Structure formats: C-alpha cells, structure tokens
Amino acid sequence: MKKLIAGNWKMNGSRDEVNQLAYDLMTGLSAEPSDKFEILLCPPFVYLDRMDKFFKATPVSIGAQDCSPRENGAFTGDVSASMLADMGCSYVILGHSERRTYHHESSEDVRAKAMRALAAGLKAIICIGESEKQRTDGIHMETVADQLEHSLPPGFNSGNTVIAYEPVWAIGTGKTASPQDVEEMHGFIRKKLSEKIKDAGNLRILYGGSMKPDNAAALLATRDVDGGLIGGASLDAASFIAIASAA
Ligand code: PGA
C-alpha cells in the first residue's frame, strides 16, 4: 500500500504564501518517485480552488480540513461536503483534535460529517487520539476505542476512510509518541477495525503529531503506520518533501 503523506496547513497562509509553497512543492516533488507515497495537501477552504487548479494535472491530491454535517441550506458560514467535491477535493479531515477542543465536536458530530463526506464521494480522514492526562491515567486505549466506535460512519471501508491517530499531547508540541507506543496503538486500532470490516488490513492508519524530517523515517517504518498527517512541517516545502522521501 502506498503511504499517504498528508499536509494539514491549518489556518495558515496568504495568497502569496500558498502560491510560493505550492510552487516549491511542485518543483521539489517532481524529482521524487511517486510509487511509494501519495501526497495530499489540505489548505484552508479559501485556497482550495487555487490549489486544485495548481495541482490539477499532477498526482497531488487536495483535501479540506472540515465539512458540515448537513447537506445544504441555511447554515451561514458552513461548507458542505458536496461543495468540497465540486471544488476538486478528494479527501476531508474530520474530527481533528483542534476541532474537538475548540468547536466542542463530539464523535457523533464527526460521524455525521463523515456520512456527508462519503455520500459526496470524498474520503474521510477521521482523527482520533488521547490527551496527555488520558495517557498518564492509562485510559488511552479505551479513549481511542470509544472515539473509533462513535466516529466511524456506516458503510466505511478501506476505500473511503482513513484513520489518523494523533495523540493530542504530540500535536504542535515537538513531542512525538515513540515508535513502540505508535506500533501498539496502530495495532490496536487495526484490531478494532477488523472486528467491523473485512478489509481492515487495507485501511490506512496515519500517525500525526510533530512528525518532522528527523523522526519521519522511524515512524513511517513502524508496523501498521500507513502514512502521516503533518501540521507544522507541512508549511515548509523542504521539510514536507523530506518527510515524503522518508516514506
Ligand atoms: P503537527 O500537527 O505536525 O504540527 O504536530 C499535526 C496535526 O495536527 O495534524
């Protein structure tokens, strides 16, 4: 299975900055073989169209960072999954810990969004992960199991869904989970998935949380790690390309 190397740009960039980043990525990536990894870029909504046009004729995929749980209508400020598909997106990140924290999204909310995403033909990247306290309290496994149980939409499979395991304490902090902890958790997630679907072995499970060029090779070589969801380091073309090369 090709590793999925996904850049989550979060709420960063200006028109000039995203143009420059796209240009630098295009230049750097064309030198890299692409049979080992698939590149996905998830810019803010307002730059999706620009990035879709920029990468249209390339193997680079474009995705969004959220979508509405509703189909369409009077929901000021929201963006629907079908609009994202119309915009050229093939993926949408759902239930990122920043959305669970700052927008109080529950796993049930994430599932409602994932159902819209799948109905619109998008692939849902469902984020799960424990807080530092949950890990020190020893309830990280059950936390992740509960998030999985309530976030996964009916009809999910390895073709329409990706899981991103992102321990909250590792996001943007420079701390990463050890390859041993990642292997343990990814194996656990794979087991939980296999209780629900037949093709769990083919469903990509990404690791996210301070993935950088210097730790990417070890994390991406870890058993059951099928790619990375990269925040900070995805804003720097050289770092992001170095991470992809590590795959
Ligand atoms: P980070 O973010 O790489 O900056 O830790 C990862 C994420 O939030 O997806």
Side-chain angles (χ1 to χ4, degrees):
M1 167 181 2
K2 270 194 203 181
K3 304 244 190 234
L4 180 62
I5 305 297
N8 175 10
W9 293 0
K10 308 192 182 185
M11 195 173 72
N12 290 295
S14 62
R15 268 200 291 205
D16 286 350
E17 284 165 1
V18 300
N19 283 349
Q20 185 66 48
L21 182 53
Y23 177 81
D24 292 344
L25 287 170
M26 183 87 102
T27 318
L29 284 168
S30 57
E32 296 293 333
S34 59
D35 57 329
K36 294 273 192 320
F37 53 80
E38 175 186 348
I39 297 285
L40 167 65
L41 304 176
C42 301
F45 286 135
V46 290
Y47 302 125
L48 284 171
D49 193 37
R50 181 170 287 265
M51 291 300 105
D52 174 57
K53 290 198 176 88
F54 201 95
F55 289 101
K56 191 123 221 135
T58 76
V60 172
S61 303
I62 301 297
Q65 301 170 17
D66 183 39
C67 73
S68 171
R70 301 189 178 89
E71 193 171 1
N72 57 35
F75 302 104
T76 302
D78 287 353
V79 175
S80 73
S82 55
M83 290 171 185
L84 297 176
D86 186 38
M87 224 43 174
C89 288
S90 39
Y91 289 86
V92 59
I93 299 171
L94 296 173
H96 188 281
S97 77
E98 285 149 18
R99 297 213 56 92
R100 290 182 189 258
T101 303
Y102 304 132
H103 296 266
H104 310 289
E105 286 185 13
S106 67
S107 290
E108 287 74 13
D109 296 331
V110 176
R111 168 152 51 200
K113 292 177 175 205
M115 287 165 70
R116 291 290 175 209
L118 267 45
L122 298 172
K123 292 176 190 144
I125 301 181
I126 297 180
C127 303
I128 54 176
E130 81 284 359
S131 66
E132 187 147 40
K133 173 139 191 349
Q134 285 162 333
R135 183 161 278 266
T136 48
D137 287 352
I139 56 166
H140 46 293
M141 298 300 214
E142 55 193 274
T143 300
V144 161
D146 182 77
Q147 289 172 336
L148 260 187
E149 183 64 34
H150 295 100
S151 304
L152 284 166
F156 83 94
N157 59 45
S158 65
N160 61 23
T161 299
V162 174
I163 300 294
Y165 168 59
E166 301 202 296
V168 179
W169 48 271
I171 297 177
T173 59
K175 296 190 219 169
T176 35
S178 69
Q180 292 76 6
D181 287 345
V182 172
E183 180 171 338
E184 178 189 42
M185 184 60 91
H186 281 225
F188 175 74
I189 293 169
R190 182 90 64 206
K191 185 170 148 286
K192 287 281 157 200
L193 293 171
S194 66
E195 290 164 9
K196 295 182 181 297
I197 57 167
K198 285 206 182 69
D199 64 342
N202 294 321
L203 195 151
R204 281 160 158 169
I205 306 175
L206 313 183
Y207 169 80
S210 299
M211 194 182 270
K212 301 270 172 336
D214 61 353
N215 59 28
L219 288 163
L220 291 169
T222 300
R223 195 185 160 94
D224 285 317
V225 174
D226 307 311
L229 183 54
I230 297 117
S234 71
L235 295 169
D236 176 66
S239 300
F240 190 63
I241 291 166
I243 292 172
S245 308

